[in-house]
Structures are given as structure tokens and as C-alpha cells.
Amino acid sequence: SGFVSMLGTGLSKIGPVGKFLGELLVKLGDMVEDGERMAIPQAKGSFKAVGGQAFFIPLYELYLIYGGIFRLTFGPKSFLIVSDPGIAKHILKDNYKAYSKGILAEILDFVMGKGLIPADGEIWRVRRRAIVPALHKKYVAAMINLFGRASFRLCEKLDRASSDGEDVEMESLFSRLTLDVIGKAVFNYDFDSLSLDNGIVEAVYIVLREAEQRSTSPIPTWEIPIWKDLSPRQQKVTKALKLINDILDDLIAICKRMVDEEKLQFHEEYMNEKDPSILHFLLASGDDVSSKQLRDDLMTMLIAGHETSAAVLTWTFYLLSKEPKVMAKLQEEVDSVLGDRFPTIEDMTKLKYTTRVINESLRLYPQPPVLIRRSIEADQLGKYPIKRGEDIFISVWNIHRSPVHWVDAESFNPERWPIDGPNPNEVNQNFSYLPFGGGPRKCVGDMFATFETVVATAMLVRRFNFEMAPGAPSVEMTTGATIHTTEGLKMTVTRRFRPPVIPSLEKKVIKINGDQPLDSCL
Ligand code: HEM
């Protein structure tokens, strides 16, 4: 996924290094008439780019001043910041062939190689065609059970915390929940990270932290030949990557044996009931087991599907804690649709308000907040011609919070989309809402991720009330691959009791004593 914080690394690759922690001067410039061509507005002034600070905040301020496309210049290097839905649509969809992933591919190379997210050109085309069919309807339906089981494990954990009167840090729990889900979903591996801390879980986090570090680090030390081999941090990363790769090799081998033993009849909606994973589909469809490409793609999906969904849940629960009315309405829907059952695929169309809550959370906290591209040929963006080799950041954050496109853009209002209307997406919102990107490189896991977050949210709010813990650190943003909190999301979780049924005609005092606590999510 595209990372705003990569600005830092992008700059360091070309500009004088070390300048970036502290005050960053944006080159002064004016909107100039350049012969007949209009020059792109240049942002002027300065803004702070302190290490770890969320970069998209100053970009939002600049957007309000300079508009839907402007240039930010640092020394010899510049970036185009796009916050206009029409231009975003042009880059992502109408003329997508003129753009590559640029800086993103360079930064993620160490972990994703030529996996589907960073890959460009022919490699991307071939792999997209191989992978998309794996996420067919029947697969996604099977995943609903997996989402339910994993969320149930989290419920049990929260139950223990709530009876012990302990507050919980939800961000890390959501990260573990979605790691458990994506491991099973992609290569049938149970990280079981909600229950235990083992070496492999730690290895995944070492690699993730490294990816984030690289995207915000002013100096690409990992590119310095000797440093690369001697630095303890790099050695740790190399070791972690090796551990994950060894496990991947084992999983691929195990899966290959299963596929060989099947009486295989491969068809469009092929799925192995015992192992519905994407890996199983790919091997059954004839993917080359020995290829580095297969490993790169598995690793890419592991990372793409893990942090994003975790961030969506984190910010959803943060938003819910601030809007008790939305929470009450949400719980009412979940109580009436699910009762005490596990969710099924049929419930996904019935949990309408829950879906709107997720839609709205993704509007306010898009993951990642910025998409990265590089022009590989000359093009025209709005009224401005651009050259080949321009690094472009499409700020989804800006588009999603634009006062031009949204009424009350800053407020968390799931009602903004009619409950019985179509689910909002980039097509029906004309690219003013694009939580999963758009065009040929749109997220392949959009439905998967929506259902995953709907199931987890529904199962958690059915059983518990969530409030910010007393004395919890205030929730601030920082950027990694996705938007993180700076100090976690510390919440007090309490068991809900079955809401009293209020007879509509009789206005009697309701006896609470007789109500039974929900025993389980079942
Ligand atoms: C691409 C968002 C979950 C796999 C993308 C893109 C976005 C996105 C915005 C476009 C990136 C760009 O154009 O530069 C999200 C969000 C998720 C999520 C918000 C969770 C709520 C997942 C899951 C998977 C996944 C669960 C895997 C099962 C991918 C892949 C791509 C992608 C492979 C690259 C597609 C391509 O370039 O052809 N995602 N994603 N994502 N996503 Fe997701």
C-alpha cells in the first residue's frame, strides 16, 4: 500500500540527507504563467516534518491553500500532491498505464520483491490475473466463518480482561486479530497471535516495523553495503525474513502435497474445503511452486491484508467511543440481525448500518492515507502538463476530508449514505471516496476486508461496551504504512447485558434483575 511517510525516504534518496528531522523548508514559488502553459502551483512556506509526525496533516493545510494539485519542492527534488478526485481518477484509472509505483516499489523491495503491490508492467498484469480469481465469492463466503472464529477468540480475551477489571490496548489486539485471520486466509497458517507470542509472530512484526522505519527514515542506511551487514538491526531483519521465508517454504511444500493428492478438477470457483487458502488455489491453478514470485505475492498479501484491516478496526472503535449515539444504533442493529449467532454470508447484506460505520471510518481514516505513483511518460493533469518521472502523492486523506466534496467533512456520520442505497465506492462517488483505490490496481481484498471488519465490529459490540479508559493517553496519529495511534488505544471494556425489551404500549418500569448476561457470542 502507498505510504505518505515515504516522503521522507523519497527525499533522502535524492536530497541532501539529514535535513528532514526538524524544519523542512518548502521552496518558495509562485503560480507562474510559463509561456502558454500554466505551471502547477508551488506550495510555499514551511512546515515541520518531525520524525514520526503524521505527514498528511501539513499536506491538508497546503491543499486548502493551493488546491487540488500543487508542487512541493525540497532541494533538487519535487513531488506533486494531488487532492482532486478528477485527477486521481485520471491517474488511477483512465490513464493508469502512464504510471508506476515509483518510490513505493523501491522501499518495499526488501520484503515484497516483485509482489502484486509494488510490481509494475507485465509482471503485475500476469500476477493480477493469477491472484484475483482466488478471491472468488465462495472463498469470501468461507472466510466469514474464519472471521467469526477469530473474533470470538478476541471476545474471550476481552472477557477475561473485563472480569479482571483490566483496561485493554485495542490497537495491538486488532493487529493480532487480523494477523491470525490473514495467515489462515492466505496460506493456511495459524499464527495464533492472540494466544501466544512465538518467534514467527515476532518476526512478522520485526519486518513490518522495518518497512515503516524505512518509509520514515531520513537516511537509507540499509543501502550502505557494509552497514547493511553489520548493523544489529539489519541482522535482525535478515534473520526475521529468513524465518518467515522458511515457514513459507514449508507451507508451500505441505500445500503442494495436498494438491497432488487431490483428484483435482480445477474450475472457476475451485476451493478446497479443508484448506480454502489463496495459496491452495494458486497451486491448484498451476502456479510454479519454486518461484520467488509466489513467495513475494504471499508476503505482499500477508502485509497488505494485516495492517490495513487492523487500522480500520482501531479507528472505528476510536470513533465509536466518541459517538455513543452511533454505537447505540449499531448495537441495536447487531442485536436484531445476529442475536446470539455467528455471522454468515447472508448477514453481510443485513448488517447495513454496521457496513456504513465501516464505510465512514474508512472515509475519515483511509488506509493508507496516500497513494504513490510515478509518471513513466508525459501526461496532462487537469490543465497542467507534466513530464515523465514525476513522483506523485494522491492524498486520499485530503479527498476524503475535502470541504468541497463533503458536508460536515470532519464529522463521523454513517448516516451520510442512505442505509438502503448502494454501498459507497469510488465508482458511484466519482472518486471523491476511494478507500480501496480504483482502476485496474484497485485492492483485490476489498470485499474480504469489508466483511472482516464488519464481522469483527459486530461481534465485539454485541458483547461489550467500549469506552476510552480513564487516564488513557490522548489519541494522536502517526504514520507508518497505515495510520497508527502514537500511544495506543487504551479502552475499558465491559460486558453488555441483554437490553431490556420495552413493550411499546405499556409504560411500565422495567425490571432489570431478570435479565441474563449474554453467555457467549454463540
Ligand atoms: C491494493 C486498501 C485489505 C490486498 C490496495 C489499495 C488500497 C488498498 C487503497 C490500492 C493501492 C494503490 O493503488 O497504490 C486496503 C484496505 C484494506 C485492504 C483499506 C482493509 C480494510 C486487503 C486485503 C488484501 C489486500 C485483506 C488481501 C487479501 C491488496 C493487493 C493490492 C491492494 C494485493 C494490490 C493490487 C494491485 O496492485 O493490483 N489495497 N486493502 N488488501 N490490496 Fe488492499
Side-chain angles (χ1 to χ4, degrees):
S1 24
F3 311 156
V4 105
S5 50
M6 281 173 193
L7 185 51
T9 313
L11 301 172
S12 68
K13 293 204 160 182
I14 28 66
V17 219
K19 267 191 164 184
F20 310 106
L21 302 176
E23 193 90 346
L24 276 186
L25 262 191
V26 181
K27 200 180 178 185
L28 302 183
D30 267 313
M31 234 174 116
V32 213
E33 289 278 347
D34 170 13
E36 283 167 22
R37 294 169 153 194
M38 282 276 268
I40 294 174
Q42 292 228 21
K44 48 171 161 180
S46 67
F47 64 87
K48 283 209 171 90
V50 183
Q53 191 209 359
F55 229 102
F56 44 86
I57 301 300
L59 290 185
Y60 183 75
E61 303 298 322
L62 292 173
Y63 155 58
L64 295 180
I65 302 169
Y66 296 99
I69 177 167
F70 62 88
R71 185 183 294 282
L72 261 184
T73 306
F74 302 87
K77 184 65 192 171
S78 77
F79 294 83
L80 295 180
I81 313 297
V82 169
S83 317
D84 176 87
I87 298 178
K89 178 168 180 247
H90 176 86
I91 296 169
L92 296 175
K93 184 162 177 255
D94 302 336
N95 201 24
Y96 81 96
K97 284 198 168 138
Y99 297 88
S100 74
K101 291 275 175 128
I103 298 169
L104 186 86
E106 291 159 19
I107 289 173
L108 293 180
D109 184 69
F110 84 103
V111 49
M112 295 190 187
K114 302 240 174 311
L116 196 57
I117 286 186
D120 282 310
E122 188 60 13
I123 295 183
W124 168 76
R125 209 179 53 80
V126 170
R127 292 312 288 167
R128 176 107 189 172
R129 252 200 228 159
I131 290 168
V132 166
L135 289 105
H136 52 64
K137 274 215 182 87
K138 207 171 138 197
Y139 168 78
V140 175
M143 288 300 109
I144 303 288
N145 298 327
L146 170 65
F147 302 156
R149 283 198 304 274
S151 302
F152 184 69
R153 280 201 271 181
L154 177 53
C155 283
E156 291 182 314
K157 203 166 169 113
L158 293 181
D159 222 1
R160 284 193 292 276
S162 90
S163 42
D164 295 349
E166 274 170 20
D167 292 335
V168 280
E169 202 288 282
M170 293 302 295
E171 187 171 34
S172 59
L173 290 177
F174 284 139
S175 175
R176 286 163 183 270
L177 169 71
T178 59
L179 179 61
D180 288 356
V181 164
I182 204 73
K184 279 300 267 185
V186 173
F187 35 66
N188 195 27
Y189 181 73
D190 194 355
F191 284 104
D192 202 7
S193 70
L194 276 169
S195 320
L196 26 118
D197 267 310
N198 54 29
I200 176 75
V201 170
E202 199 195 328
V204 171
Y205 286 109
I206 289 173
V207 170
L208 277 172
R209 275 198 300 274
E210 178 66 10
E212 300 198 335
Q213 185 97 28
R214 289 186 182 202
S215 63
T216 49
S217 159
I219 308 167
T221 46
W222 58 89
E223 285 177 6
I224 304 167
I226 296 168
W227 181 273
K228 199 168 67 185
D229 303 324
L230 292 183
S231 127
R233 194 183 93 204
Q234 291 312 315
Q235 286 177 352
K236 238 174 127 179
V237 172
T238 309
K239 228 175 113 190
L241 273 172
K242 175 154 183 351
L243 181 62
I244 300 171
N245 275 316
D246 288 348
I247 296 216
L248 273 184
D249 286 345
D250 288 348
L251 292 171
I252 292 170
I254 293 167
C255 189
K256 174 72 177 150
R257 277 199 297 275
M258 279 178 82
V259 169
D260 288 344
E261 281 162 17
E262 275 171 60
K263 274 197 233 78
L264 198 65
Q265 282 187 313
F266 192 76
H267 57 94
E268 234 177 45
E269 292 230 309
Y270 165 84
M271 192 177 83
N272 181 299
E273 302 284 343
K274 272 201 221 123
D275 169 14
S277 70
I278 293 177
L279 171 61
H280 202 111
F281 181 96
L282 290 174
L283 291 183
S285 75
D287 235 28
D288 175 8
V289 259
S290 62
S291 73
K292 170 146 187 327
Q293 185 65 53
L294 177 62
R295 283 157 186 74
D296 284 350
D297 285 322
L298 295 174
M299 196 74 113
T300 298
M301 283 185 278
L302 173 68
I303 293 178
H306 168 209
E307 290 266 277
T308 43
S309 301
V312 174
L313 288 168
T314 300
W315 292 106
T316 300
F317 277 72
Y318 169 68
L319 289 165
L320 287 171
S321 77
K322 295 205 303 179
E323 295 288 348
K325 273 194 196 141
V326 175
M327 180 59 126
K329 196 165 162 186
L330 176 65
Q331 287 176 324
E332 197 183 299
E333 175 179 90
V334 174
D335 288 343
S336 76
V337 172
L338 290 185
D340 288 345
R341 292 186 290 107
F342 268 103
T344 63
I345 186 78
E346 287 77 28
D347 295 319
M348 295 304 103
T349 47
K350 294 180 194 146
L351 290 168
K352 293 180 184 193
Y353 192 69
T354 316
T355 307
R356 290 290 171 272
V357 166
I358 298 298
N359 298 148
E360 182 69 345
S361 163
L362 270 165
R363 185 183 67 82
L364 284 168
Y365 295 93
Q367 313 292 349
V370 163
L371 303 178
I372 297 180
R373 292 294 188 275
R374 180 178 291 154
S375 60
I376 52 176
E377 52 190 67
D379 193 15
Q380 173 98 12
L381 295 183
K383 54 187 179 207
Y384 307 111
I386 64 157
K387 293 194 295 257
R388 173 200 158 101
E390 294 276 16
D391 282 312
I392 300 171
F393 289 173
I394 300 173
S395 174
V396 181
W397 174 275
N398 287 356
I399 294 175
H400 282 190
R401 288 178 179 243
S402 163
V404 180
H405 304 290
W406 302 98
V407 177
D408 240 344
E410 305 281 312
S411 77
F412 176 52
N413 175 22
E415 279 81 7
R416 69 175 69 241
W417 293 288
I419 192 130
D420 288 314
N423 288 330
N425 60 37
E426 78 287 1
V427 177
N428 60 33
Q429 303 292 306
N430 220 351
F431 280 74
S432 59
Y433 179 71
L434 60 162
F436 295 104
R441 300 214 64 159
K442 183 175 174 174
C443 182
V444 303
D446 60 343
M447 196 183 259
F448 179 110
T450 305
F451 291 168
E452 177 188 16
T453 47
V454 163
V455 167
T457 302
M459 289 189 61
L460 291 174
V461 305
R462 175 174 59 184
R463 197 168 182 185
F464 303 101
N465 284 315
F466 293 83
E467 282 165 298
M468 293 305 296
S474 82
V475 179
E476 309 288 340
M477 292 179 288
T478 175
T479 12
T482 51
I483 311 173
H484 294 284
T485 70
T486 45
E487 296 178 75
L489 182 67
K490 199 93 192 263
M491 299 190 112
T492 304
V493 178
T494 43
R495 273 289 272 271
R496 281 181 72 211
F497 290 82
R498 203 185 285 276
V501 180
I502 304 169
S504 52
L505 294 175
E506 297 163 73
K507 282 196 177 139
K508 279 194 210 152
V509 176
I510 299 143
K511 258 179 71 187
I512 313 258
N513 298 355
D515 295 320
Q516 296 299 311
L518 282 175
D519 276 335
S520 68
C521 285
L522 286 166

